[in-house]
Amino acid sequence: MRKKTVRSGIRAICASIISLMVATFFHDSLGQFFLLGLDGEARLVFFGFFLAGVLGGFGVLVAAIGLLQSEAPHPRARLAPGIMLLFSLVFLFFVLAYTSFTTPAPPRLEPGESINI
């Protein structure tokens, strides 16, 4: 097993989870920040899902290749921090998913209503 290759694969998987979280939970905030319309926000979500799929597939392939290769005479690489980051990102994704399902949506203004400050 080549730990440096496996570590690179785990990092790509972590990047894909981050891209998935941004596309799923924070697309509205990014759309407002970059002044995107509904079409731009939809493209942002599509790009986030696409990037997550590509990075995740690449990461799985690289990690699998690293597991199948023979040991190289390189200095030892540490896998524990990458694995802990991966598990914490998965946990954070499930926490964000749970809170998005349980948090009620704010009431929308009806046409003609105004906000009193």
Side-chain angles (χ1 to χ4, degrees), residues 2-117:
R2 293 203 180 172
K3 289 186 178 181
K4 287 183 116 177
T5 308
V6 174
R7 185 176 62 189
S8 298
I10 290 173
R11 286 181 179 167
I13 294 170
C14 289
S16 74
I17 293 174
I18 291 171
S19 174
L20 182 68
M21 283 192 295
V22 167
T24 304
F25 303 113
F26 303 113
H27 60 87
D28 188 38
S29 301
L30 282 176
Q32 289 177 357
F33 181 74
F34 290 118
L35 302 173
L36 301 175
L38 290 177
D39 290 340
E41 190 174 332
R43 275 190 238 119
L44 181 73
V45 170
F46 174 76
F47 179 70
F49 286 160
F50 178 76
L51 187 65
V54 168
L55 285 174
F58 174 74
V60 167
L61 286 176
V62 169
I65 288 171
L67 288 172
L68 294 176
Q69 286 180 339
S70 62
E71 181 67 30
H74 295 290
R76 295 236 176 227
R78 297 181 54 192
L79 293 178
I83 292 173
M84 293 302 295
L85 177 65
L86 180 65
F87 285 142
S88 63
L89 285 173
V90 170
F91 179 74
L92 180 63
F93 178 81
F94 284 117
V95 166
L96 288 172
Y98 175 75
T99 56
S100 71
F101 292 136
T102 58
T103 304
R108 302 223 177 213
L109 291 177
E110 296 294 326
E113 279 188 275
S114 63
I115 300 173
N116 294 329
I117 300 177

